[in-house]
Every structure is written in C-alpha cells, then in structure tokens.
Amino acid sequence: MSAPRDRRPPADEPLGSITRPVVDDSDIAPVCYACGAVDLTRLRVALPAGRPAVFASCPDCEATAWFVVDGDGRALGPDGLPRA
Ligand SMILES: [Zn+2]
C-alpha cells in the first residue's frame, strides 16, 4: 500500500452564504423589547423574502423577536408586525 503523496489542503474557497464571519449584531437587536435586557442571544438569519434579519432571544424572560438588518430597530413578532 502506498500512501497518497498529494496531501495538499483544499484550495481556498470563498465564503458562501452559510459561513459568515462573527459579527456584532448588538446594534441591530439592541435590547429585549419585553424586559430591557441587553445580553441577548442573537442569530443572523434571512427572512423568506431574502431580507437579512437578526433573531434575538432573551435569556432572562425568554422573549423572542426579529429585527430587520438596516431596519428601523423595532422588535418584530413572528408575523413580521412590530412587538408592543
Ligand atoms: Zn427579556
């Protein structure tokens, strides 16, 4: 048995839509709409219409909301309408 000699690492691939750099989305989803906590869990996602958004979950009160990237900063519910 001869081991393959060509063990080059794969060529650099451009980052696709799945792999994203770590970003700070605290500007987009700044605060829990329900209790005001700022230490939210934030996930960058894409809405069905293709709009980028941030899904935020509050570890304190478990409230969740959507925030449209480059939107007006309002917390949106699952139906896309503003919370509160
Ligand atoms: Zn909260």
Side-chain angles (χ1 to χ4, degrees), residues 30-40 42 58-61:
V31 64
C32 173
Y33 75 94
C35 76
V38 297
D39 189 17
L40 307 179
R42 300 175 179 89
C58 177
D60 290 344
C61 72

Side-chain angles (χ1 to χ4, degrees), residues 1-82:
M1 286 175 53
S2 62
R5 296 179 58 105
D6 187 359
R7 288 192 158 261
R8 290 175 300 179
D12 288 344
E13 298 176 7
L15 293 178
S17 59
I18 295 175
T19 305
R20 292 179 176 278
V22 175
V23 294
D24 181 3
D25 287 327
S26 58
D27 287 344
I28 299 166
V31 64
C32 173
Y33 75 94
C35 76
V38 297
D39 189 17
L40 307 179
T41 300
R42 300 175 179 89
L43 298 174
R44 184 67 77 100
V45 297
L47 298 177
R51 288 192 303 176
V54 173
F55 179 76
S57 174
C58 177
D60 290 344
C61 72
E62 299 186 346
T64 59
W66 297 91
F67 295 82
V68 175
V69 174
D70 295 330
D72 56 11
R74 284 186 298 177
L76 306 179
D79 53 6
L81 298 176

